[in-house]
Amino acid sequence: RHITKMKYRIYVLNVFWIIMLISISCSEANKPIIPSKIETSLHQKANAYISPLPSFDIDNKSDLEVLRINLGKKLFLDSLLSFNQTQNCSTCHILDKYGVDNKRVSEGDNGRTGTRNTPTIYNASLQFAQFWDAHVKTIEEQASGPLFGTDEMGLPDTTFLINRLKNESNYLVLFDLAYPDKDTTITIETIVNSLGEFQKTLITSGDRFDKYLKGDYNAISQQEKSGLNLFIDKGCIPCHSGSLIGGNMEQKFSIYGYYWDYTGSTFFDKGKYKHTKEDNDKFVFKVPSLRNVTMTYPYFHDGSVDNLAKAIQIMAQSELNTTLTEEEVEDIEAFLGSLTGEIPNIDFKRN
């Protein structure tokens, strides 16, 4: 009996200490992790230059606005908007592929290709201007460009498009519902307005970097933090800043040398000069947003580079006159991977 009692006491004592150790362990685990000064400094630095993407909430829209959004979505997906009815807006701006087709340049309605890469339609409405040469300011102005582009949708003129839509009874009803205050509801203005209203909903969300900016220090890895620090300190941030990490200015490509020497491009695109004919605008292009950049290859205005690591090195050499080490490129590429967000749900039906 004495031995049995001793064993029992030892057993109880062991259980007690196990419970105590578990309790202490859980208590330690639940303590808030206090970031180091280096971590805090990087986080503050990142927030000084970059802000989270704004969100889009359909519940904040009126019934009339939802009607216009739904109409714009229908138009965006309708091949009636191309001359030979071979394609629609989503042919090049594929919605489930982050708004691009991942081709160097895209084929138009007539089978011909243009000279510029298709940029992503996601988050485009938040940019300061549209198209690679920034020659229009609003998403509505942008919407009309490809419709009448000879190497794009190929429509001959606005009258042709309006008459085509008027011959569709469902569009007569939808435009009347969406624009009840207009005497004539199907016009080029209402067409591009509805397309623009839909495109404004195409905002990605939930990427790990935004979670980091909002205070979750563990949302990105140490390698991604190293890449972020390099991205800022090496000088990428003056052009690639703001909520889009780009998309808010234009810049010469390239500052050091000629871009085709880096990219191997065979067509020498003069950028903004095409529209302004000002010498200072030669080889000036809009700085692209880096949101979802790992998904929107190939890169640059002509889609000449399909490898992100190579694009990073080219930018360092052509814009900053510096050569990055292989490890630095890998770290920056890892950081850019944290910018991939979630594609939004575009089912806007309201009962």
Side-chain angles (χ1 to χ4, degrees):
R1 285 183 183 176
H2 179 70
I3 293 173
T4 303
K5 285 183 179 180
M6 286 292 294
K7 287 182 177 179
Y8 178 74
R9 286 174 182 170
I10 292 170
Y11 171 76
V12 171
L13 192 60
N14 286 338
V15 170
F16 170 77
W17 283 114
I18 289 170
I19 293 172
M20 287 295 294
L21 288 170
I22 292 173
S23 177
I24 292 169
S25 177
C26 291
S27 176
E28 290 296 322
N30 290 329
K31 281 184 179 179
I33 299 173
I34 301 174
S36 67
K37 288 184 179 180
I38 294 175
E39 288 266 8
T40 302
S41 175
L42 177 61
H43 187 259
Q44 290 173 343
K45 191 160 56 170
N47 272 283
Y49 294 112
I50 306 170
S51 56
L53 276 173
S55 59
F56 173 82
D57 187 355
I58 193 66
D59 293 334
N60 292 331
K61 298 296 181 180
S62 68
D63 290 342
L64 188 60
E65 287 173 316
V66 173
L67 285 170
R68 292 175 180 175
I69 290 169
N70 279 319
L71 173 57
K73 173 186 171 183
K74 181 175 175 60
L75 289 168
F76 192 89
L77 301 173
D78 198 333
S79 296
L80 284 174
L81 269 63
S82 64
F83 180 68
N84 294 308
Q85 301 183 44
T86 62
Q87 59 184 186
N88 53 45
C89 301
S90 69
T91 303
C92 300
H93 298 287
I94 304 172
L95 295 179
D96 61 0
K97 291 184 68 174
Y98 284 85
V100 298
D101 58 8
N102 299 126
K103 296 179 180 180
R104 186 181 67 80
V105 290
S106 305
E107 300 87 5
D109 179 73
N110 55 19
R112 294 201 304 264
T113 56
T115 58
R116 290 180 179 171
N117 175 255
T118 299
T120 178
I121 197 64
Y122 283 107
N123 308 316
S125 63
L126 304 176
Q127 298 184 63
F128 89 106
Q130 306 298 318
F131 296 111
W132 275 106
D133 55 19
H135 71 271
V136 304
K137 296 299 180 184
T138 69
I139 200 72
E140 289 81 9
E141 288 179 280
Q142 179 277 332
S144 65
L147 295 177
F148 307 104
T150 54
D151 292 333
E152 295 174 274
M153 311 290 269
L155 295 173
D157 52 47
T158 58
T159 301
F160 181 92
L161 172 60
I162 291 167
N163 288 337
R164 178 177 278 186
L165 293 178
K166 282 183 175 179
N167 286 330
E168 300 291 324
S169 58
N170 61 333
Y171 273 122
L172 290 172
V173 173
L174 292 173
F175 273 92
D176 283 346
L177 289 172
Y179 297 95
D181 56 332
K182 302 287 186 181
D183 293 332
T184 303
T185 55
I186 303 182
T187 65
I188 190 59
E189 288 78 15
T190 56
I191 291 168
V192 298
N193 177 261
S194 59
L195 282 167
E197 290 303 305
F198 169 63
Q199 291 176 71
K200 290 173 186 176
T201 71
L202 301 178
I203 308 297
T204 56
S205 63
D207 64 72
R208 291 184 295 108
F209 183 67
D210 273 0
K211 293 176 182 176
Y212 169 77
L213 287 176
K214 293 175 182 177
D216 182 355
Y217 282 71
N218 295 318
I220 63 175
S221 69
Q222 286 303 317
Q223 184 185 25
E224 290 164 343
K225 290 173 186 175
S226 175
L228 167 62
N229 193 56
L230 286 166
F231 187 84
I232 295 171
D233 287 354
K234 289 289 184 179
C236 309
I237 204 71
C239 295
H240 292 285
S241 58
S243 63
L244 294 171
I245 317 181
N248 54 19
M249 64 174 356
E250 53 196 31
Q251 183 59 271
K252 184 179 180 181
F253 180 45
S254 59
I255 294 175
Y256 298 94
Y258 298 101
Y259 73 77
W260 49 86
D261 289 332
Y262 300 103
T263 63
S265 304
T266 55
F267 175 74
F268 304 151
D269 190 329
K270 293 185 179 180
K272 192 176 178 182
Y273 176 84
K274 177 181 178 181
H275 293 277
T276 67
K277 305 305 179 186
E278 296 286 338
D279 286 341
N280 289 338
D281 289 334
K282 285 183 178 178
F283 313 120
V284 170
F285 298 91
K286 182 178 65 177
V287 175
S289 165
L290 296 182
R291 294 285 182 175
N292 310 301
V293 67
T294 60
M295 309 301 292
T296 57
Y297 56 89
Y299 304 109
F300 304 125
H301 62 275
D302 56 0
S304 53
V305 175
D306 59 7
N307 181 277
L308 182 55
K310 182 179 179 181
I312 292 167
Q313 190 66 272
I314 287 173
M315 290 305 293
Q317 294 169 336
S318 66
E319 303 302 293
L320 304 173
N321 197 27
T322 189
T323 299
L324 300 172
T325 67
E326 184 177 338
E327 182 180 1
E328 287 173 332
V329 171
E330 289 175 354
D331 288 355
I332 292 173
E333 185 176 13
F335 157 63
L336 295 178
S338 74
L339 304 177
T340 303
E342 297 173 6
I343 292 172
N345 176 17
I346 58 169
D347 183 10
F348 304 119
K349 301 299 181 184
R350 183 174 289 180
N351 294 330

